[in-house]
Amino acid sequence: MKNYILVVVAVFSFAFAKAQSRSNYVKENYTKTVQHISMRDGVKLYTVIYAPKDTSKEYPIMMQRTPYSVGPYGEGKYKASLGPNKFMMEEGYIFVYQDVRGRWMSEGDYDNMRPHIPGNDVTNKKDIDESSDTYDTIDWLVNNLPNNNKKVGQWGISYPGHYTAAALPEAHPSLAASSPQAPIADFFFDDFHHMGATLQSYLMAYPLFGYQSEPTSESWYSDKWDKLRAAGNMKDGYDFNMKIGPLKNVTENIFPDNFFWKQVAEHPNYDEFWQKRAIINHFDDVNHAVMTVGGWFDAEDLYGPLNIYKSVESKNPSNKNNMIVMGPWSHGNWARERGKQMVNHIHFGDSISTFYQKNIETPFFEHHLKGKKNPQLPEAYMFDTGAKKWDQFTQWPPQQEQISFGFGNNGELLINKAGDKKQEFTYTSDPMKPVPFRSEITPVTFTPRAYMTD
């Protein structure tokens, strides 16, 4: 037992020392400043800038806009790491983080998946969207930050991935490279809905997205979880949801004042409310480099990356710098390296995230933002989860022989063989031939990862 405790303490100490080392690297090599950048309607957005201390050369700007906080807030407090990966942090960029409108330290009203307004007229001081906020931010940065080379890249995972995608239409001329990663493309098919089905497993997320707040560095939503905790045993998702009962009880007893829950409840169908929030409808005239990234086992946003790539590709056939990367990852897992790449119990290989960061992500930005040698990345970098290897394609979907599927007797799957494609199957609750299920108790959090591999 003592040996076990010593091992745990040693592992924790190593992890803490590693994080501390990264934080020291940022502090030793970057200068942190804060700006409140005015948008065209006068709203000020809280923006944190980490600029290299070496001012002997010019650097491109790498920007992330997020609803999840640009913290840590306060003078002398630094992020543990910067940018999409450690390689880019060490290469040197001006890293910019911004709290989006109406979140954390930024002014204004928050709106989930704010509808895009085509045109981006800088003289219009009233109509704003995420594209215009990004445009105004970039315009200020390239004209005011010392030692910048007038080229800007952006990236983000999940909701920050959506804000990256939302800046593709009517982009600022200085925006040279974008990487939407696990991006939300349409909230009726990503996250809170999956193909239109409302996920009760997302009840924990509504406090974050459904209340307005004044500029603050503190959580405005933590106490909103109290009613959820009071509704049932949150360690047992099945028991919790059974005790809640019909979803009208959520409206009446848990989130009576939550504006996002109200919107979801009032718009159960794919009506105009959802359609105008689909950013994939607005990717005309995207002429800079785009690399969309996703994971085959992403339980939150699998629809987003595939359809954002597809939309940019179909609407901009002359853009030769639109590519997609799909790997054996769960949500955002490519930003972390754990050695063995596992999803649930399945091992896909070692150091796969490092390979992506070093050989795909970093060369993409280095080429388009710094003018370094063209890495000749393919149109599609796709991980074959069966063969457990990367494949490269000059187009996606690839041109290849068509495969036909059919059914044989007793549910047999037929590949390129004659069979009945319309055969029906029934399932009986039989212990000797069980319907697949998971026996463990799942807490009330978000969508469990395990079912993506089951």
Side-chain angles (χ1 to χ4, degrees), residues 328-329 333-334 336-343 345-359 383-384 387-390:
W329 300 299
N333 206 215
W334 50 91
R336 298 175 288 277
E337 181 58 82
R338 295 190 173 96
K340 292 184 179 298
Q341 179 55 37
M342 307 280 291
V343 180
H345 62 288
I346 301 178
H347 176 222
F348 291 103
D350 298 335
S351 303
I352 292 176
S353 293
T354 296
F355 174 85
Y356 156 75
Q357 294 171 13
K358 189 174 183 179
N359 298 289
F383 193 89
D384 185 327
K388 298 185 178 180
K389 67 181 182 67
W390 286 103

Side-chain angles (χ1 to χ4, degrees), residues 286-302:
V286 177
N287 53 24
H288 67 278
V290 181
M291 181 178 71
T292 307
V293 182
W296 291 126
F297 301 95
D298 190 338
E300 283 77 26
D301 299 298
L302 184 54

Side-chain angles (χ1 to χ4, degrees), residues 201-214:
S201 60
Y202 268 62
L203 287 178
M204 284 284 288
Y206 283 92
L208 174 61
F209 297 108
Y211 294 98
Q212 298 289 357
S213 71
E214 296 298 321

Side-chain angles (χ1 to χ4, degrees), residues 285-290 312-313 316-322 379:
D285 300 320
V286 177
N287 53 24
H288 67 278
V290 181
V312 174
E313 188 70 9
N316 304 275
S318 63
N319 187 342
K320 304 304 181 184
N321 292 306
N322 179 47
E379 176 82 9

Side-chain angles (χ1 to χ4, degrees), residues 59-73:
Y59 302 90
I61 297 167
M62 275 295 291
M63 180 175 66
Q64 181 180 102
R65 304 182 66 243
T66 178
Y68 296 137
S69 166
V70 301
Y73 300 100

Side-chain angles (χ1 to χ4, degrees), residues 192 199-211 221-222 224-229 234 240-241 244 250 254-255 258 261 443-447:
F192 293 86
L199 269 66
Q200 287 183 232
S201 60
Y202 268 62
L203 287 178
M204 284 284 288
Y206 283 92
L208 174 61
F209 297 108
Y211 294 98
Y221 53 84
S222 297
K224 308 297 184 183
W225 285 325
D226 291 342
K227 288 186 177 180
L228 279 171
R229 297 186 183 100
M234 298 192 70
F240 175 83
N241 284 293
I244 285 181
V250 177
I254 299 177
F255 295 143
N258 187 298
W261 171 259
V444 181
T445 51
F446 291 95
T447 311

